[in-house]
Each structure stands twice: as C-alpha cells, then as structure tokens.
Amino acid sequence: MSNSAILPYPIEPIAEMPIDDNLAEALLTSMSEYSEQLQGRRVWLACSGGRDSLALAALCVQLYWQGKLPFLPQLLHVNHGLQADSGIWAAHVANWAKAQKIPCTILQAQVNGHDEQAARQARYDVMRAQLNQDDVLLLAHHADDQAETVLMRLIQGAGANGLSGMQPWRVQTQDAHRIILWRPWLTIQRADINAYAQRLKLPYIDDPTNDGGDNVRSGLRRDIMPVLAKYNPNVIDNIARSAILLSDAQLTVKAQAAEDLQQTEVISLQLPPAQRVLNIDKLQQLPLYRQRQLLHHWLGQDEPLPPAKQLVDDVLSLSQRHDHDHQTELFWQGRQQSYTIRRYRQQLYRLSNDWLKWLESPLAEQTQSLLIHTESNLIGADVHATGRQPVPINLRNDDKFTWQLQILPNEVMRLLESNKDKVEITFAPLDRSTRIQTALATRPQSGKKLYQTLSIPSWMRESLVVVSIVLVNKKSVEDGILDNEHPIVCPILLLSPFYSWVLASDQLLASNPHYIESAISSCLTVPSSF
C-alpha cells in the first residue's frame, strides 16, 4: 500500500527478528510489577500505526512468540477521519497486524471539533466503548511524552498531582465503566524506540501533523526540548525522574488528606456522589496547609480531574467566615457533574446540581390504609401483605434518586391500644405555618421555627415530611374514640432524607416512642450509574 506518510518498508513478519533488550526489559519489568492486576484480564494495545505504538506492538509479538510474554494483546486502531489518508492508514495497520498474526480491530470515531484534544477525546471514547469492565489498554507513551506532559502542566500552574505526570498503571472510571491504562515505557526515550523501529524496518506511519507546532505539546517538542537538552543532555530522564518523585510525594499527601477526611466528614449526611459534607470545626483544627489539601481532596472526589486552586481558596475562605450569611454559593463545573458548594452553620456541603434540582421537586400528600385484623389485606392500591411484611412508600423518586419509607404494620399497631384494628397513615410536607412538637421540645413550634431549631439548610426545607396516624374506624363513645366524621389525627414522626424526629404524640401512643422509629424507617438511594 503506497502512501507518502508510510515509511516505504515492506510488511514482513518480525517474530524472529532481534529483540531490543532495553525495551523488552522495561515491558517485562512493568508486567511483573502489575502481574497480579493483569491476571485474568483482557489486554488491548492502542495502535495508531505510528512509530511508538507499532514498535510496542512489534515487541509484544516478538516476546509472545518467544514465550516471554504470556499474552498477545489485541490491537485497536481508531480512524477518526481527520486526515485525507485516514482510511489508507487504517487498512495499513490491519494488513501489518494480519502479517504478524495479531488480532486487530478498526474503530470509527466522530470528532466533535478540530483540535488535537478533541481528536484525543474521540479516540479514548470509542476505545473505552470497545473495552469490557476492567480490561487493560496498553499505551506506548514514553519518557519524552512524560517530559512534555510535565512541562505543559508546569506552564499551566499544576500542583504535585499534575506534575507527577502520566502514571504507569491507572484505573480510569467513567459512568461506572472501569478500565486500566497501562504505560510500561515511561522510562524509555523516544530515541531508543526510533532506533528499534529502524533496525526492524517497521513501516510505521509518520503523521506530518505530529510536529506541526499547532498545539502546546508539539511546540514544546519542536522548540523547547532541544534548547533544554543543550543545558543538560539528560533533561528527559531528569524530568521523568522528577515526575516519579512527585508521584510518590502526591501519594503521601493524598494518604494524609484521606485520613483527615475520615476525621472531618459528617458521616450521617453523606450521599456520594450527590452530597458530601465536612465539619468546619474539625477542619479548622488542622494546620492551614492540611486544610487546603483536605479541601482539594474533598472537592475532587468522584471527579477524574482535580479542582482549580482558585476554587479551593474560595472554599477555604468560605469555611473561615465568621458572619451569619449562609447564602454564599460557589459553583464548579466538573467533568462528571456540576456542583454547588455551600455552607450552613458549621458545615460545608458539596452538592451536585442534579441533587439540588431533585430536592426542589414537590412532595405530594399521601395516605395509606393499614388493615391488620386478617392475615392478608389490601394495603394501598395494589399491595397484598401481612402485618409482618414491610410496606414500601415512595415519597419522591426519579431516575437518579429514590426516597422510600418502609412501614411495618404490626409495629405501627403497637403504637395504639390493643382494641384498635384499622388506621390510616398520612405523609404530608411540613408547611411553614404548621405547628408540631418534637418529643424533646417543651411546646409546639411552627415549621418556620423548626427549620432553625433543627438546623435544616434552606435547600432541604422542601423535603420535610410529617407522618401522622389517623384513626378511621367507628367505636363507641364509652371507648373514648370518635367516629369517622371527627377522626383523631396524631403526628408521630418528622422526616428528612437524612434524619427523623419523634413527635410528642401522647393521644394514641400506648408504647415507648422508640417503637415509632422501628415501625417506620427511611431509605434514600442513588443508582450505581449516577
């Protein structure tokens, strides 16, 4: 196949050709280091057909047929149609793979944009879609790529995490789909790979756009790295070594931040990834530098890219305020979701905007009848259950979140005198003007006052529900109970998605108040795909 970008060498089997010991040692050493993680996993190799990826594919073929590599990776080539000859290049890679007896899959990608970043994202997206859960994608990034990456991030003002560069083994998760990126050549220089490719006369694709200088990476490669090499010929190895040292330092910082997070997060209010909460008092007990690192770690949970330093500084300032203005909102557009960071009293909240939108949806008043005097009775519209089986009540749900109650009818009946056999349970949103009394309070309070008393943040105030028992069966006057025209309404429980408060209801309760919480339990769930 003739094309000016393809080196004019014939496609020939390379299994018997000499192996480069330096390149082979790097690959086999990395394989040994991650042997446990590689066990039983399918391995793919991202092959553009360029010098680096074709050389890595060639080395895998040689080591496999010599019995030194226990697997033969499957090649993945992405044709995103950005070059006029993209189709020719894809066919060339397929023909080379066929000659080496290595499996090869050609993928088509649609690029949303015209820059290199858009093309890179399209390649990864289509390859990720091809891989199954926990598959391994083998990449030919090398020490020169690492040096360019570190310099790019240094120019952008990155911290230790960014300056640690690319990792040799990285678990990447997107929408619950987990793959592994494996880079065994990060200590190998481009010149060594080039020499190996020349010795084997590999017909690789020399894409003319790689060194065109139309992006930061190619500009660094063409203009900056040669100048740095004049000052120190070992600049590539030195930068790669610095990246390793910074990676170790970052792991230490991350471990400290994770330990600090365990001491400062409010466990009862966590709903990952929708809501994460920190205790400000405990946060401020830490030295200032650890507060910054903790906030950086806390904000970046569930996201592939860390937050900007400015956002961390703004959140730190929010935590340090001494006024009572709790209306300040900070916004962050992450890769996975968008978030709002808010403070309420001595707590910091990182709230996904999907979660906030869900909290604003209205709660409808509901009524459920519980008929317990037979073994199987109709509960609600279409549920048959005995008094020993839980009755589910959906208070609010959609495709992202579900807030459900589990009611045990027999336990509810223990709240009543023994001769009661029919009740209704109502679930009504707490109105600002509704007056109820919690079990520990000395008098009833309006909903507006309870927001303050119970420390309910403003965004949670539409998600408070009053649970009441209503007696609906007729009894004689001697029993002291009125008929259906004047039912007794007994509020027993106030619920939020995270907490419940027993109400002072002594009209009908024949048992201790703790029976209420055993009879009615709240459950908030987030689908795994969220």
Side-chain angles (χ1 to χ4, degrees):
M1 181 176 295
S2 176
N3 183 270
S4 60
I6 302 174
L7 267 64
Y9 296 128
I11 295 177
E12 296 179 349
I14 49 84
E16 302 297 329
M17 294 184 180
I19 287 180
D20 184 288
D21 292 337
N22 187 32
L23 271 59
E25 181 182 3
L27 174 58
L28 294 176
T29 299
S30 183
M31 184 191 68
S32 176
E33 182 176 356
Y34 302 111
S35 59
E36 185 175 340
Q37 293 94 319
L38 283 165
Q39 189 69 33
R41 290 179 173 172
R42 186 168 54 170
V43 179
W44 305 77
L45 194 158
C47 185
S48 66
R51 175 193 53 222
D52 303 334
S53 61
L54 205 66
L56 182 56
L59 182 64
C60 287
V61 169
Q62 292 179 314
L63 292 173
Y64 176 76
W65 289 110
Q66 293 184 18
K68 298 179 181 179
L69 195 69
F71 55 82
L72 189 61
Q74 304 181 58
L75 301 190
L76 279 181
H77 177 85
V78 178
N79 177 10
H80 39 46
L82 292 182
Q83 303 290 336
D85 296 331
S86 294
I88 296 175
W89 296 350
H92 175 71
V93 172
N95 290 337
W96 183 87
K98 183 177 180 180
Q100 314 310 326
K101 299 180 181 179
I102 184 172
C104 179
T105 300
I106 307 297
L107 303 174
Q108 303 294 322
Q110 183 68 39
V111 181
N112 296 320
H114 302 285
D115 58 3
E116 175 57 30
Q117 177 59 32
R120 179 180 179 275
Q121 187 63 46
R123 288 196 298 271
Y124 273 98
D125 286 345
V126 73
M127 285 191 291
R128 188 183 296 108
Q130 178 71 20
L131 272 60
N132 291 332
Q133 186 82 338
D134 289 326
D135 279 1
V136 176
L137 184 62
L138 184 56
L139 301 166
H141 294 132
H142 45 70
D144 296 62
D145 294 326
Q146 182 76 300
E148 294 160 8
T149 297
V150 171
L151 287 177
M152 285 174 60
R153 294 179 179 175
L154 182 63
I155 292 170
Q156 295 165 350
N161 185 41
L163 296 179
S164 62
M166 295 177 287
Q167 302 305 306
W169 185 274
R170 180 189 169 201
V171 179
Q172 186 181 74
T173 304
Q174 181 173 316
D175 298 330
H177 185 209
R178 186 174 57 250
I179 65 172
I180 291 88
L181 305 181
W182 181 27
R183 301 179 177 96
W185 272 0
L186 289 180
T187 58
I188 296 296
Q189 290 198 24
R190 179 185 288 120
D192 295 331
I193 299 172
N194 186 60
Y196 171 63
Q198 293 297 328
R199 283 199 303 273
L200 292 186
K201 296 184 177 180
L202 289 178
Y204 62 83
I205 300 166
D206 188 12
D207 187 346
T209 65
N210 283 343
D211 299 308
D214 58 347
N215 58 61
V216 175
R217 182 179 291 276
S218 57
L220 288 171
R221 182 181 307 158
R222 184 192 63 190
D223 302 327
I224 305 302
M225 296 304 297
V227 175
L228 294 177
K230 290 181 181 179
Y231 289 96
N232 189 329
N234 298 319
V235 62
I236 293 173
D237 285 339
N238 290 346
I239 293 177
R241 182 170 62 253
S242 293
I244 294 173
L245 295 174
L246 283 166
S247 179
D248 290 344
Q250 173 59 23
L251 290 175
T252 302
V253 170
K254 188 175 181 180
Q256 180 65 70
E259 183 178 326
D260 289 340
L261 180 62
Q262 289 183 346
Q263 303 301 317
T264 56
E265 64 182 348
V266 183
I267 300 296
S268 60
L269 292 175
Q270 304 304 316
L271 186 67
Q275 175 170 296
R276 293 186 179 275
V277 187
L278 282 184
N279 183 298
I280 292 176
D281 290 331
K282 293 181 178 180
L283 173 69
Q284 293 179 341
Q285 292 175 7
L286 300 172
L288 195 57
Y289 72 93
R290 279 170 60 183
Q291 290 185 44
R292 289 195 183 95
Q293 291 297 340
L294 170 57
L295 290 175
H296 185 275
H297 177 71
W298 175 69
L299 289 166
Q301 293 175 104
D302 318 303
E303 285 290 329
L305 297 177
K309 179 181 182 298
Q310 185 61 56
L311 177 64
V312 176
D313 289 344
D314 290 343
V315 175
L316 180 62
S317 296
L318 182 61
S319 72
Q320 294 172 335
R321 288 173 59 167
H322 297 292
D323 56 47
H324 298 287
D325 179 10
H326 296 304
Q327 302 306 310
T328 301
E329 297 181 346
L330 301 172
F331 298 97
W332 177 35
Q333 180 58 57
R335 178 71 65 85
Q336 303 285 8
Q337 300 182 61
S338 58
Y339 304 91
T340 297
I341 296 91
R342 297 200 61 174
R343 172 180 179 172
Y344 183 73
R345 298 189 177 178
Q346 289 303 98
Q347 291 175 335
L348 278 176
Y349 291 79
R350 194 206 70 178
L351 308 157
S352 81
N353 288 337
D354 283 337
W355 170 240
L356 286 173
K357 183 178 179 181
W358 184 85
L359 289 172
E360 292 174 355
S361 58
L363 282 165
E365 184 170 344
Q366 298 185 54
T367 300
Q368 290 289 332
S369 294
L370 300 181
L371 310 176
I372 314 302
H373 55 276
T374 62
E375 271 300 298
S376 181
N377 287 295
L378 186 63
I379 300 176
D382 57 0
V383 180
H384 286 274
T386 70
R388 293 183 297 274
Q389 294 176 321
V391 179
I393 305 293
N394 284 333
L395 294 179
R396 182 195 280 150
N397 70 294
D398 60 14
D399 59 338
K400 289 188 170 64
F401 307 99
T402 298
W403 185 16
Q404 186 180 83
L405 300 184
Q406 294 287 335
I407 300 176
L408 294 173
N410 277 354
E411 292 296 322
V412 171
M413 295 307 293
R414 295 178 69 181
L415 303 175
L416 309 176
E417 296 176 9
S418 60
N419 61 348
K420 311 302 186 296
D421 58 4
K422 180 181 177 184
V423 297
E424 286 183 348
I425 299 184
T426 64
F427 310 90
L430 175 65
D431 188 81
R432 291 168 61 89
S433 60
T434 301
R435 295 182 64 82
I436 56 176
Q437 181 179 346
T438 60
L440 299 179
T442 57
R443 63 181 184 275
Q445 293 178 304
S446 67
K448 181 179 180 180
K449 183 63 175 177
L450 278 171
Y451 298 154
Q452 303 298 322
T453 303
L454 301 178
S455 301
I456 307 298
S458 58
W459 58 90
M460 292 294 298
R461 292 175 183 177
E462 299 302 317
S463 299
L464 291 177
V465 174
V466 179
V467 181
S468 301
I469 289 179
V470 182
L471 188 66
V472 296
N473 60 312
K474 292 184 179 181
K475 291 291 182 180
S476 66
V477 176
E478 289 78 13
D479 289 334
I481 303 297
L482 300 177
D483 62 19
N484 285 340
E485 294 181 1
H486 302 283
I488 291 178
V489 178
C490 183
I492 60 171
L493 201 61
L494 177 64
L495 294 173
S496 78
F498 296 96
Y499 291 124
S500 64
W501 298 268
V502 175
L503 302 181
S505 304
D506 56 0
Q507 293 173 290
L508 295 177
L509 296 184
S511 305
N512 294 327
H514 74 267
Y515 282 130
I516 299 174
E517 294 173 307
S518 65
I520 303 174
S521 59
S522 177
C523 178
L524 188 64
T525 58
V526 182
S528 59
S529 59
F530 179 68

